[in-house]
Amino acid sequence: MTRFSFPALVRKAIGADKDWPEQWAKPDPKSDYDVIIVGAGGHGLGAAYYLAKEHGITNVAVVEKGWLGGGNTARNTAIIRSNYLYEESAALYDHALGLWEGLSQDINYNVMFSQRGVLMLAHTVHDVQIFKRHIHANRLNGVDNEWLSPEQAKAFCPPLNISSSARYPVLGATLQRRGGVARHDAVAWAYARAAAARGVDILENCAVTGISRARDGQVRGVETTRGFIGAKKIAVSAAAHSSVIMDMAGVRVPIECFPLQALVSEPIEPAFPCVVLSNTVHAYISQSDKGELVIGAGTEQYVSYSQGGPLHSIEHTVSAICEMFPIFTRLRMLRNWGGTVDVTPDRSPILGKTPVPGLYLNGGWGTGGFKATPGAGHLLAWTIARDEPHPINAPFTLERFRTGRLIDEAAAAAVAH
Ligand code: FAD
Ligand code: PYC
């Protein structure tokens, strides 16, 4: 018996049924854990791994209402970069990028992290000014980023249309060479395997329905669809559902949820060498190792928990891609899907303690949390283990929405909101 419900093809490919260690048999919940993490996305699983590896805390359960990696972790377009404007954000995302650079070795699993470079296109004078400001700020913060003319951008990405007669002509681009993509579902599987190997229980098909607190206010466990499970500490890392779960503990969180869609084309020979983002035309694109073009849209304009969205947004995105890359005009779409992104008022995440003793929150990553996965897991584990934030996540408090000390990264979100 295996610990996780890997899809059958994956189980076959990795030989899961053959030599999966006996101690990884699917666990029943224990009555008491030191730490429960709600949500088996990359962030929650990463936190479990780093709790065990770096803090020696292994009496940990990750509680997941569906299957591991079934949330946004395996629904995103897998873009990784750290070219954020403000010091707080640059430090946070660059911490994650540093961890990506050693991740496959660290967890002994090829997450196919590929630093092929991320281009962000400027189509208006305003874009040019903002992007150049980003480059200067990034360099001051030790984050690589450079300006390319339209011709240099085309040399880096030959399919790019730099004609001045395009509806939104390319006026230049930023390039972060250390940016790239990774195989998103592998990240969840890799952290799950590495955490489980250190004794962490991963409880799938187990939805949290309540948070129980003692008389002194301290958390004492979670109510779930598999019964009550005791815990000394609880970390909520449930993306779009984080605010619902925090509400169970009486904590209000300023998160709104929006659908965000993506699609892949039929697979083709390698034709697209890097990642390209254009906020102005609401589209971003890369090519997966399977050969599919991976394309994403802007966030939908309405709040919803639906993991899907209307086809006209996809049509809008695809027409923008065809104008920027006319060589793809005759390609066919293979499939599309959606996720639900959790957006805060300042488009920055919340990662830290909450007013409830023993309760921690990691959420509000919106359209940009995949790139943060190792960093978020690492910093959440630190915060739980020491009951205090790491200096990198210290500014990302829930408290900032009361004090007004916001970290307004909307312009760097790279995805139209
Ligand atoms: P998730 O992977 O969503 O995990 C949360 C888990 O919590 C889920 O598995 C869910 O089932 C579980 N859960 C919810 N409620 C409960 C409950 N009551 N009990 C137990 N478990 C529960 N980011 C980037 O950096 N780059 C990109 O290119 C990018 N593209 C994107 C494209 C799309 C289409 C989408 C939708 C998102 C994109 N993102 C991107 C954002 C990124 O995917 C997310 O920010 C990130 O994956 C969040 O990871 P997570 O582990 O916090 O959440
Ligand atoms: O944050 O770079 C990003 C991103 C691209 C697509 C979705 N998010």
Side-chain angles (χ1 to χ4, degrees), residues 38-44 63-67 70-73 75-79 206-208 237-239 241 245 260-262 284 337-341 362 365-372:
V38 185
H43 291 208
V63 178
E64 166 57 49
K65 75 169 176 183
W67 64 97
N72 284 346
T73 292
R75 292 168 184 269
N76 57 61
T77 44
I79 298 171
C206 183
V208 169
S237 187
H241 291 89
I245 299 167
L260 178 62
Q261 299 189 74
Y284 34 99
W337 66 91
T340 313
V341 294
N362 169 56
W365 289 91
T367 59
F370 176 67
K371 68 176 78 61

Side-chain angles (χ1 to χ4, degrees), residues 75-79 119 260-263 272 275-279 281-286 293-299 317 320-321 324-325 341 367 413-416:
R75 292 168 184 269
N76 57 61
T77 44
I79 298 171
L119 276 182
L260 178 62
Q261 299 189 74
L263 65 130
F272 201 80
V275 180
V276 174
L277 291 139
S278 166
N279 201 344
V281 301
H282 294 194
Y284 34 99
I285 177 169
S286 65
L293 294 177
V294 182
I295 294 169
T299 43
T317 298
I321 289 290
M324 286 192 295
F325 308 102
V341 294
T367 59
V415 178

Side-chain angles (χ1 to χ4, degrees), residues 86-283:
Y86 294 113
E87 283 180 10
E88 296 91 335
S89 326
L92 179 64
Y93 291 99
D94 214 49
H95 177 61
L97 185 47
L99 288 170
W100 277 113
E101 285 169 336
L103 190 61
S104 291
Q105 287 75 17
D106 181 22
I107 48 184
N108 189 27
Y109 198 115
N110 187 358
V111 297
M112 299 171 92
F113 177 49
S114 158
Q115 292 178 293
R116 58 187 68 176
V118 172
L119 276 182
M120 293 174 78
L121 302 181
H123 299 274
T124 64
V125 172
H126 177 77
D127 283 350
V128 172
Q129 290 169 340
I130 294 283
F131 283 178
K132 287 191 173 171
R133 182 178 173 210
H134 273 77
I135 290 173
H136 296 312
N138 287 161
R139 288 190 177 173
L140 285 171
N141 282 321
V143 174
D144 71 303
N145 204 0
E146 61 197 85
W147 179 252
L148 301 187
S149 67
E151 293 72 26
Q152 288 170 319
K154 186 164 177 64
F156 193 75
C157 181
L160 181 64
N161 174 17
I162 55 167
S163 161
S164 56
S165 63
R167 188 162 52 120
Y168 289 104
V170 174
L171 302 185
T174 63
L175 169 61
Q176 185 177 26
R177 292 182 191 271
R178 285 167 64 231
V181 287
R183 179 165 176 195
H184 51 199
D185 42 11
V187 176
W189 300 335
Y191 273 129
R193 190 183 71 166
R198 287 176 159 77
V200 170
D201 283 352
I202 298 168
L203 309 171
E204 295 174 283
N205 299 314
C206 183
V208 169
T209 54
I211 292 185
S212 172
R213 296 169 64 181
R215 283 227 175 117
D216 61 1
Q218 172 80 27
V219 299
R220 53 179 289 272
V222 289
E223 305 289 348
T224 78
T225 46
R226 291 173 72 180
F228 176 79
I229 311 174
K232 296 185 184 70
K233 294 181 175 180
I234 300 170
V236 176
S237 187
H241 291 89
S242 294
S243 59
V244 178
I245 299 167
M246 293 301 290
D247 200 43
M248 297 171 188
V251 180
R252 288 193 66 209
V253 175
I255 288 179
E256 279 188 315
C257 296
F258 298 86
L260 178 62
Q261 299 189 74
L263 65 130
V264 288
S265 72
E266 60 188 326
I268 52 172
E269 292 290 319
F272 201 80
C274 58
V275 180
V276 174
L277 291 139
S278 166
N279 201 344
T280 301
V281 301
H282 294 194

Side-chain angles (χ1 to χ4, degrees), residues 47-58 106-107 198:
Y49 168 69
Y50 293 115
L51 271 174
K53 180 187 171 222
E54 301 207 346
H55 305 280
I57 301 174
T58 56
D106 181 22
I107 48 184
R198 287 176 159 77

Side-chain angles (χ1 to χ4, degrees), residues 30-34 36 220-222 228-232:
K30 287 194 243 167
S31 58
D32 245 329
Y33 288 94
D34 289 333
I36 283 182
R220 53 179 289 272
V222 289
F228 176 79
I229 311 174
K232 296 185 184 70

